[in-house]
Amino acid sequence: DTICTGGGGRKEYVLPIDTLSCEDLEGAVEALKQKGKVLLERGFYDCLELMSENFPIRETQSKGLIALFLLSLHSDEWRAKIADSGGQEAILSILVTHQDTQTQAQACATLYNLAIAPLARRFLSEPPMVQGLVTAVISHRTCPEVVVMALKTLKLLTLPWSDKGVVVKQLLCKEPDFMGILLEFQHDAAFDAHNSVVSDMMSLLYA
């Protein structure tokens, strides 16, 4: 029982993110959710496979991020599963490689959605992911849509009751460029509407 398939000898996918339009993607994910856990898991692994096979193609990565966001929306179980089953590696690769603002913002928003689940934070708190988020803040410091989502994610990872909150805090405090940029944001009019995010981050790091 499949929802969407490829043609012309191509492997069948229940979630062919490389051929679905962004408009159809939400409906396809919702259809999988209605079909049950087995097809939903197959759709998730289809998504990861197609993201890997089409890594240089920004549009496919963008649709993959949308699919991961939709799969994990309102579900801590799926947030943890995606973080533990290859999803975080796929998102980190995008964060490191695809530097356009839209994709960076999508990647940070997807990570934030995953980090809402306490169990997922354990998998997202490894040094490469923390470094990836720090680099996103530094490299896109003039883009609030990237910076705010990256900081919101780092805030969740740094919370004292998060599984590795102390470790993440130590990693961030060793990043002088990151700490300096946080101070700049407090006096940057572009971030006035998001000042609480910056202030919360500073409070956690200096506590």
Side-chain angles (χ1 to χ4, degrees):
D1 188 6
T2 58
I3 306 298
C4 306
T5 64
R10 162 181 154 124
K11 174 184 173 180
E12 291 188 344
Y13 294 100
V14 299
L15 191 61
I17 59 169
D18 57 335
T19 58
L20 284 171
S21 68
C22 290
E23 292 73 21
D24 292 336
L25 195 52
E26 184 172 359
V29 172
E30 190 56 39
L32 286 176
K33 289 181 177 180
Q34 297 300 318
K35 289 287 184 176
K37 186 174 181 180
V38 173
L39 271 184
L40 194 58
E41 287 193 357
R42 182 174 164 188
F44 165 58
Y45 288 111
D46 282 356
C47 179
L48 292 185
E49 181 177 329
L50 288 165
M51 289 173 77
S52 176
E53 289 180 356
N54 298 276
F55 189 72
I57 304 174
R58 189 200 67 80
E59 183 182 6
T60 303
Q61 302 310 309
S62 177
K63 288 190 287 188
L65 289 170
I66 293 170
L68 293 178
F69 183 92
L70 293 170
L71 283 166
S72 60
L73 199 59
H74 309 308
S75 172
D76 277 5
E77 178 185 357
W78 266 94
R79 287 172 176 134
K81 179 175 180 60
I82 289 171
D84 185 35
S85 303
Q88 68 151 321
E89 289 89 347
I91 300 169
L92 178 58
S93 294
I94 293 171
L95 205 59
V96 170
T97 306
H98 292 272
Q99 290 298 312
D100 63 284
T101 301
Q102 179 184 345
T103 308
Q104 288 279 303
Q106 283 183 306
C108 291
T110 305
L111 287 171
Y112 173 70
N113 185 50
L114 296 181
I116 291 171
L119 184 57
R121 290 178 214 152
R122 178 185 306 170
F123 306 114
L124 299 176
S125 296
E126 296 300 321
M129 181 62 77
V130 175
Q131 184 60 58
L133 287 162
V134 166
T135 301
V137 171
I138 294 171
S139 300
H140 298 272
R141 66 180 74 184
T142 60
C143 304
E145 61 267 36
V146 175
V147 169
V148 170
M149 295 313 302
L151 288 181
K152 282 186 173 183
T153 306
L154 287 169
K155 174 187 170 182
L156 288 175
L157 300 182
T158 312
L159 290 171
W161 53 87
S162 288
D163 208 40
K164 298 181 179 178
V166 173
V167 174
V168 175
K169 177 180 176 179
Q170 291 172 344
L171 290 171
L172 293 177
C173 288
K174 293 177 181 177
E175 294 284 345
D177 290 343
F178 176 76
M179 300 298 286
I181 286 174
L182 285 182
L183 291 171
E184 290 177 18
F185 287 157
Q186 290 188 310
H187 306 288
D188 188 338
F191 291 91
D192 282 350
H194 309 291
N195 198 257
S196 63
V197 180
V198 177
S199 297
D200 288 349
M201 195 76 246
M202 294 289 286
S203 296
L204 283 168
L205 295 177
Y206 285 100

